[in-house]
Amino acid sequence: MSASAPRCRACGSSSVLLRGSKPGQFIKRDFEFYTCATCSLLFVEPFAGFEIYNDAYYRGAGPDPFVDYEEEYRDWRRTDRGLEFDDLARLADRHLAAHPPRGPIEWLDFGCGAGGFLKYLRERGTFAGQPLQLTGHDLGSYAELLAREDRFRILDLDTIAREPSARYDVISLIEVIEHLPDPSAVIALISRLLKPGGLLLLTTGNMDGRVARRQGIHYRYCAPEIHISLFNPRSLAALYKRHGLSPLSVRYEGAVSFKVLKSLRHQPVRRALARAALHLPPFVRAVDWLYGVSAMPCALKPTAP
Ligand SMILES: [Zn+2]
């Protein structure tokens, strides 16, 4: 065990408070949870490493029982992710209508996973009357499949880091930042890669939601082998600002429904009931209030410094 106090993964502050510890599900050791007194990030030490993202993980047989990359890779339409994709596309539509691009829209899906969102965007084809040019980034076997079989432009991190500044109109980072040992470096890179006026679509769990606050580190989302950088609206907005991005308020609908259905993946009866209830907007808003989904800001790259 390290003798020195850890530094905040988001802001680097060494003013951190130990919140408690809990054991890993697969890695037999305790992990410590710290809160940063400066930016309020909740983070895990030590980082278990990327080795845990193996084929069992992608089947939902690892620390996250709610992922199913194989199903998403084969046909995202058979999953509930379309609800989330429609919602994110609606936000991009609104942004691009207000900031009409003058040429093809360059879109980077950072952490593209099994590629469902890339395929959704490819099928959709255009935004604001302009064609999409898609790039993805991820690690592992699905990234290789997406490049080889589906002919997507998939870049590794070293290649993305060498991309020219201000290349992308839109960058999506969907349920990725909580996995990153150095989220600050990735947001700095994304800020550099966004064009002035560009949009960052980012989703992650909210540690300030009512359920999260009540359950503390025992909240299910606090899975220390994989979710190591746990944000709330304040810590996320602070990270954006530190890297020259402006927080952007959003209101999610389908993304909220998707989170509910995903969490009930192994409970078919409750999932069917939830699917019916999610047709009622007040139910969606109640879930959003409990989990603070829409309280997590996206971001804009300002047009002038
Ligand atoms: Zn911090």
Side-chain angles (χ1 to χ4, degrees):
M1 184 159 298
S2 163
S4 58
R7 289 184 172 274
C8 171
R9 295 191 182 283
C11 76
S13 170
S14 54
S15 179
V16 300
L17 308 166
L18 181 63
R19 286 277 298 277
S21 65
K22 66 182 193 186
Q25 198 187 334
F26 290 83
I27 299 172
K28 295 299 169 206
R29 62 156 296 159
D30 279 353
F31 292 86
E32 291 169 342
F33 287 78
Y34 293 87
T35 301
C36 174
T38 304
C39 81
S40 77
L41 183 81
L42 177 65
F43 65 99
V44 172
E45 288 287 350
F47 169 47
F50 287 116
E51 296 76 28
I52 199 142
Y53 299 97
N54 54 24
D55 288 343
Y57 173 84
Y58 293 129
R59 281 197 309 276
D64 186 347
F66 305 110
V67 296
D68 185 352
Y69 274 43
E70 186 51 35
E71 177 97 328
E72 180 181 324
Y73 178 76
R74 277 202 311 272
D75 185 3
W76 62 266
R77 291 177 187 281
R78 290 164 55 95
T79 74
D80 296 307
R81 290 209 73 188
L83 289 163
E84 181 186 36
F85 298 161
D86 283 342
D87 215 10
L88 295 165
R90 174 180 58 85
L91 296 176
D93 253 336
R94 198 178 61 185
H95 170 77
L96 292 165
H99 305 79
R102 267 172 282 178
I105 295 162
E106 293 281 351
W107 186 314
L108 168 64
D109 190 26
F110 192 106
C112 59
F117 198 29
L118 286 175
K119 290 178 181 173
Y120 171 96
L121 292 169
R122 177 183 271 174
E123 285 176 31
R124 159 139 182 173
T126 61
F127 276 82
Q130 295 286 354
L132 283 175
Q133 292 187 347
L134 298 168
T135 301
H137 159 69
D138 217 323
L139 308 166
S141 52
Y142 285 94
E144 288 159 25
L145 272 176
L146 289 165
R148 192 176 67 234
E149 302 295 327
D150 303 285
R151 306 276 165 190
F152 282 107
R153 179 175 188 256
I154 305 289
L155 304 182
D156 63 23
L157 192 55
D158 288 342
T159 312
I160 291 188
R162 291 194 303 269
E163 291 257 88
S165 295
R167 170 171 181 143
Y168 292 99
D169 298 282
V170 182
I171 298 179
S172 40
L173 196 73
I174 307 306
E175 303 293 316
V176 171
I177 198 168
E178 66 273 13
H179 296 268
L180 300 176
D182 190 356
S184 186
V186 170
I187 296 299
L189 174 62
I190 283 172
S191 178
R192 182 179 75 72
L193 292 176
L194 275 174
K195 291 179 186 171
L199 172 68
L200 169 60
L201 290 172
L202 182 152
T203 67
T204 186
N206 180 354
M207 292 306 109
D208 240 2
R210 275 138 191 101
V211 173
R213 274 215 309 267
R214 183 169 314 157
Q215 298 182 358
I217 69 167
H218 303 292
Y219 184 34
R220 192 169 63 186
Y221 201 75
C222 295
E225 290 148 306
I226 51 171
H227 290 176
I228 56 174
S229 298
L230 297 153
F231 285 82
N232 60 41
R234 183 159 77 88
S235 54
L236 187 57
L239 181 63
Y240 289 155
K241 289 178 188 165
R242 219 164 27 253
H243 295 293
L245 297 172
S246 304
L248 173 72
S249 293
V250 290
R251 166 66 60 189
Y252 292 110
E253 294 160 13
V256 176
S257 301
F258 167 68
K259 279 176 189 266
V260 173
L261 295 170
K262 178 183 173 184
S263 73
L264 297 173
R265 179 182 168 205
H266 303 294
Q267 300 173 67
V269 174
R270 292 175 105 188
R271 187 155 86 153
L273 291 171
R275 196 183 296 281
L278 289 166
H279 288 294
L280 307 170
F283 182 74
V284 177
R285 283 198 295 275
V287 173
D288 194 0
W289 181 80
L290 281 171
Y291 290 91
V293 183
S294 294
M296 297 300 274
C298 287
L300 292 176
K301 179 80 174 278
T303 46

